[in-house]
Amino acid sequence: MPVATGTKRVKGVSIYRPFVFGSIARPIDPNDKPKNLPAEHTHQWTVWVKGVDDEDISYWLKKVQFKLHETYANALRTKESPPFEITETGWGEFEIQLKLHFVDGSNEKPQALWHALKLHPYGPDAEGQRERREAIVSQNYEEVVFNEPVEQFYEILTGGPNNTPKGKGGKGSKQAAMYGRSGGPRLRTAELPEREGPGNPYSRGAEGKELDRMKEAIKTVEGLVERETRELKEKEGRLEVLRGTEGGVIKKR
């Protein structure tokens, strides 16, 4: 039986797309507080889903649903075009559910994740940050993986934000998506930028530094394990000596 149009999958292929989700919260100046704002609201915050280094992700992401705390009016809110973000005010921290809906023709189910909204600073300089009334940024790098996407979605993913799928052999066709103008294979992944940029801490350079830190941490842990193992063997040896003296006769002088 032939496969229905739009449901035939590209076998053996996995494509990932990176993105960032997070929030920024700013304390509200009590001397410049809007009159219509509830008295207990102390912060204004924005929660978002966006591309790494603000790359356009709307070619594969259709909309984002934000599920806020039930005390908010219209707690379930949807953004169907970039920027995928909402702004609110409040006084408490809570978890926000983010549900990602993919573009029409993707044949992919929505995916949900959770973000912990942070309003207050933490860490050794928390008091200083409060005094300086600094904005609190909390964000996470994530990757969504599409395993064996349907052909139509494969074309969209490999074509990028400026690609529009067309007919067989056209600019947006599967063949064009697989090979660049030079005829060589086209990369099918969205790479991190080489270096960090303003507002973007995620890059291949930062990834390399983090890997180096992990390697050093592993060496430190291995050294500690080796030392503990050596000390344990020494203690076991002394214990065996003590056991060997049990039952011996102690002569009085």
Side-chain angles (χ1 to χ4, degrees):
M1 180 180 293
V3 179
T5 303
T7 61
K8 186 177 180 182
R9 295 190 173 273
V10 182
K11 298 295 185 181
V13 171
S14 293
I15 298 179
Y16 77 87
R17 287 294 174 263
F19 64 95
V20 178
F21 67 96
S23 61
I24 182 170
R26 295 181 175 87
I28 297 172
D29 187 349
N31 299 318
D32 191 27
K33 193 172 184 177
K35 293 182 179 180
N36 61 339
L37 204 63
E40 66 273 14
H41 284 203
T42 58
H43 290 75
Q44 181 183 69
W45 50 264
T46 300
V47 60
W48 69 75
V49 175
K50 63 182 181 180
V52 176
D53 208 16
D54 289 324
E55 176 187 299
D56 180 19
I57 58 176
S58 62
Y59 69 98
W60 57 265
L61 184 63
K62 179 181 180 181
K63 63 181 180 181
V64 179
Q65 285 184 319
F66 300 85
K67 188 176 182 180
L68 309 182
H69 194 272
E70 59 185 11
T71 54
Y72 282 89
N74 186 24
L76 185 62
R77 306 183 190 184
T78 303
K79 291 289 290 188
E80 297 191 2
S81 61
F84 298 109
E85 64 181 37
I86 60 170
T87 299
E88 259 294 355
T89 61
W91 58 267
E93 300 179 335
F94 58 94
E95 282 195 319
I96 301 173
Q97 184 192 63
L98 313 173
K99 185 172 285 188
L100 311 183
H101 294 258
F102 307 111
V103 294
D104 295 335
S106 67
N107 205 27
E108 298 283 344
K109 295 180 180 179
Q111 294 190 18
L113 47 90
W114 295 85
H115 173 66
L117 176 66
K118 291 186 178 180
L119 304 183
H120 309 289
Y122 298 92
D125 192 34
E127 288 301 322
Q129 288 181 286
R130 286 193 185 93
E131 292 176 1
R132 295 188 296 269
R133 305 184 65 80
E134 293 183 2
I136 304 301
V137 178
S138 173
Q139 62 180 351
N140 298 276
Y141 172 89
E142 187 59 89
E143 295 174 359
V144 58
V145 180
F146 302 103
N147 292 314
E148 298 188 343
V150 296
E151 288 186 342
Q152 181 178 345
F153 195 36
Y154 175 90
E155 293 181 10
I156 292 172
L157 291 170
T158 53
N162 299 318
N163 180 69
T164 302
K166 297 184 179 180
K168 184 177 181 181
K171 181 180 177 182
S173 68
K174 181 178 177 182
Q175 291 90 334
M178 292 177 65
Y179 297 93
R181 292 181 180 178
S182 63
R186 175 180 290 176
L187 294 176
R188 300 175 186 169
T189 59
E191 297 290 347
L192 288 170
E194 184 67 33
R195 296 180 178 84
E196 299 96 318
N200 173 46
Y202 307 106
S203 68
R204 278 176 280 176
E207 183 181 46
K209 291 177 183 177
E210 186 64 25
L211 288 173
D212 289 340
R213 283 194 291 269
M214 292 176 66
K215 289 177 182 177
E216 289 301 316
I218 290 172
K219 288 181 181 179
T220 300
V221 171
E222 289 176 342
L224 291 172
V225 171
E226 184 178 350
R227 188 186 69 184
E228 291 294 326
T229 301
R230 184 171 59 251
E231 291 179 355
L232 179 60
K233 288 181 178 179
E234 291 175 357
K235 291 178 180 178
E236 288 177 343
R238 290 198 295 269
L239 181 60
E240 287 298 319
V241 172
L242 291 173
R243 285 174 177 169
T245 62
E246 286 182 359
V249 178
I250 301 177
K251 296 182 179 179
K252 292 183 180 181
R253 292 184 179 180

